[in-house]
Amino acid sequence: MKLADDPEVEAFRAEFSAFLAAHLPAEAEARERSRSSAHVPGWARRWQRALFDAGWLLPGQPPEYGGRNATLPQQLAHLEELASRRIYHSFNPQGLGIVAASLLTFGSDEQKRRWAVPILRAEITAALGMSEPEAGSDLASLRTRAVAEGDAFVVNGQKIWTSGAHDADVLLTFVRTDAEAPRHRGISALLIPTDSEGVVRRPFGSIAAEDDLDFNEVFFTDVRVPRENLVGPLNEGWQVASGSLGHERTLLWLSYAERLEDLVRDTADVGADQEWYASLLMDLQALRLLGYRQLGPDRDPAEISVLKLLGSEAVQSASLHALEAHGADGLCHPARTGPSHHMNHELFVSSWFERYARSFAGTIAGGTSEIQRNIIAERILGLPR
């Protein structure tokens, strides 16, 4: 399958390319680097606001939310232009791609004004409070409780793996509001400001380094949250959660394609293994072609799981091969294994050890590979549960 050139899409692409050429921050301006997925340096905040004001932040949204009502093929062209220039879309990826997107889908007009627009304009940053110590991929097992008291909810519990929480201004947090309801019911979504009394955030290091502080434990002790911060209907948080992950997954395959292209470029010195290198190129091509199928009128939402599974596992497999092929040198850390760009994130060209270690995030976040296989088996292949 090959996408035919669409004059409207190509005109859209050319307009965005011209905007980038005229407004991209200079390297000297971008010296401060992001410390976590919710820490956005000043220059990056200004850049994100410029994209928002010009309608280039989320082109599929209407102008009041940083877009221009772009079609899905135009949105793909937008992301491809960013990728070709190695421009990281936002240094608060969950805030932009999940939290704000969820508010635009499920939030009230007031929540969109008060929370979504400031997140989109990088005036505040956001993180996603979903996983718990005994409820990682199984959100239905969450135990963080929210009890209604007058005009507020009182929240008690714990979240973990909450990326960027210590730098975020607000958490989109999933809580249990009806303990007697079935597992997938009785869950609600709350916006909890991180400066609320009773919120404690504890960042901790990752497998990449002790000082790689992005993951957090977050503790809630009698935290009072105004009822107006309830996102969507009470006890209908499962729908919000499914929509949140849907926002994360829709064009997620393109980020995996970018990582595979990086590996094609950065593993030229181990290309003597022709069979492996050919497999890498075929995985990249297959991922792109399957991704393009999702742009057509007959797309099946369940097929996004195929893209997620293929993309994340192809990146992980190729990263492991590159690490092993470089032998002891691959374990040198920190190190740089590809060309850097001031608008990109350094972790994409870090040591081979780190690139492989970080590949596991792709097979876990947004639904584990096991979950994707279950979806494929049940919804595409029609196998029994």
Side-chain angles (χ1 to χ4, degrees):
M1 175 181 177
K2 184 177 186 299
L3 291 180
D5 290 337
D6 182 322
E8 290 188 4
V9 172
E10 293 311 308
F12 180 92
R13 186 192 302 273
E15 184 180 356
F16 183 45
S17 179
F19 173 85
L20 293 175
H23 296 92
L24 203 65
E27 183 173 357
E29 183 183 351
R31 293 188 185 279
E32 184 184 2
R33 308 311 297 169
S34 176
R35 297 190 305 264
S36 79
S37 55
H39 171 250
V40 183
W43 67 267
R45 289 177 185 259
R46 293 189 294 273
W47 168 241
Q48 186 164 316
R49 283 195 288 272
L51 289 170
F52 178 95
D53 291 341
W56 291 118
L57 183 63
L58 294 175
Q61 294 291 339
E64 60 266 31
Y65 300 125
R68 48 184 62 204
N69 296 310
T71 64
L72 197 55
Q74 288 173 330
Q75 293 174 56
L76 176 63
H78 168 263
L79 292 176
E80 287 179 336
E81 287 302 300
L82 291 175
S84 68
R85 289 167 170 78
R86 306 201 177 281
I87 299 172
Y88 200 47
H89 192 183
S90 169
F91 286 91
N92 183 209
Q94 288 189 335
L96 177 67
I98 301 179
V99 179
S102 296
L103 291 172
L104 294 181
T105 302
F106 300 101
S108 65
D109 289 342
E110 173 61 18
Q111 288 171 343
K112 293 174 186 178
R113 182 197 66 78
R114 182 181 175 189
W115 299 105
V117 171
I119 293 170
L120 293 171
R121 289 179 53 79
E123 294 164 355
I124 62 174
T125 61
L128 183 66
M130 187 173 281
S131 296
E132 297 186 3
E134 296 184 23
S137 296
D138 184 13
L139 179 66
S141 297
L142 70 82
R143 296 183 180 181
T144 296
R145 295 282 302 277
V147 178
E149 287 190 5
D151 60 354
F153 293 96
V154 178
V155 179
N156 285 277
Q158 177 188 355
K159 297 293 180 179
I160 198 167
W161 314 116
T162 312
S163 300
H166 62 301
D167 286 318
D169 298 295
V170 65
L171 306 175
L172 177 61
T173 310
F174 291 88
V175 296
R176 189 163 293 283
T177 44
D178 185 348
E180 304 302 321
R183 280 165 37 93
H184 291 80
R185 298 183 182 274
I187 294 173
S188 299
L190 295 175
L191 288 164
I192 304 181
T194 56
D195 61 359
S196 300
E197 184 176 357
V199 176
V200 175
R201 297 163 285 167
R202 296 180 183 170
F204 57 91
S206 74
I207 191 175
E210 290 184 4
D211 61 353
D212 175 43
L213 300 180
D214 192 35
F215 290 140
N216 278 250
E217 295 177 296
V218 183
F219 299 89
F220 305 95
T221 305
D222 294 332
V223 179
R224 295 189 66 84
V225 182
R227 275 184 174 267
E228 64 195 35
N229 288 18
L230 174 68
V231 180
L234 182 67
N235 298 324
E236 297 295 330
W238 186 261
Q239 180 183 3
V240 179
S242 299
S244 298
L245 293 178
H247 289 305
E248 185 179 18
R249 293 172 184 162
T250 302
L251 287 174
L252 184 62
W253 64 269
L254 188 59
S255 68
Y256 296 129
E258 292 175 40
R259 301 291 78 78
L260 289 174
E261 288 181 344
D262 289 345
L263 286 159
V264 169
R265 176 199 66 204
D266 299 336
T267 55
D269 58 335
V270 294
D273 186 344
Q274 295 182 355
E275 182 177 348
W276 170 79
Y277 203 68
S279 295
L280 173 60
L281 293 171
M282 287 189 291
D283 284 344
L284 171 59
Q285 183 72 352
L287 182 62
R288 284 204 171 276
L289 295 181
L290 288 170
Y292 291 151
R293 277 172 50 91
Q294 291 299 305
L295 304 180
D298 300 324
R299 60 182 178 273
D300 180 356
E303 290 186 9
I304 293 175
S305 291
V306 176
L307 296 171
K308 169 73 163 60
L309 183 65
L310 169 61
S312 62
E313 298 213 341
V315 169
Q316 188 171 108
S317 176
S319 300
L320 175 60
H321 182 93
L323 173 63
E324 292 176 334
H326 284 91
D329 290 342
L331 296 173
C332 292
H333 181 74
R336 190 169 298 281
T337 54
S340 61
H341 190 282
H342 68 285
M343 295 300 293
N344 205 357
H345 207 302
E346 289 85 353
L347 63 87
F348 297 131
V349 293
S350 55
S351 71
W352 287 118
F353 162 75
E354 183 171 353
R355 289 174 72 163
Y356 173 59
R358 290 189 182 279
S359 72
F360 285 88
T363 59
I364 298 173
T368 65
S369 290
E370 290 76 14
I371 288 176
Q372 307 308 326
R373 288 187 172 91
N374 284 341
I375 294 173
I376 293 167
E378 294 170 15
R379 301 184 189 176
I380 297 179
L381 302 179
L383 298 178
R385 300 191 66 171

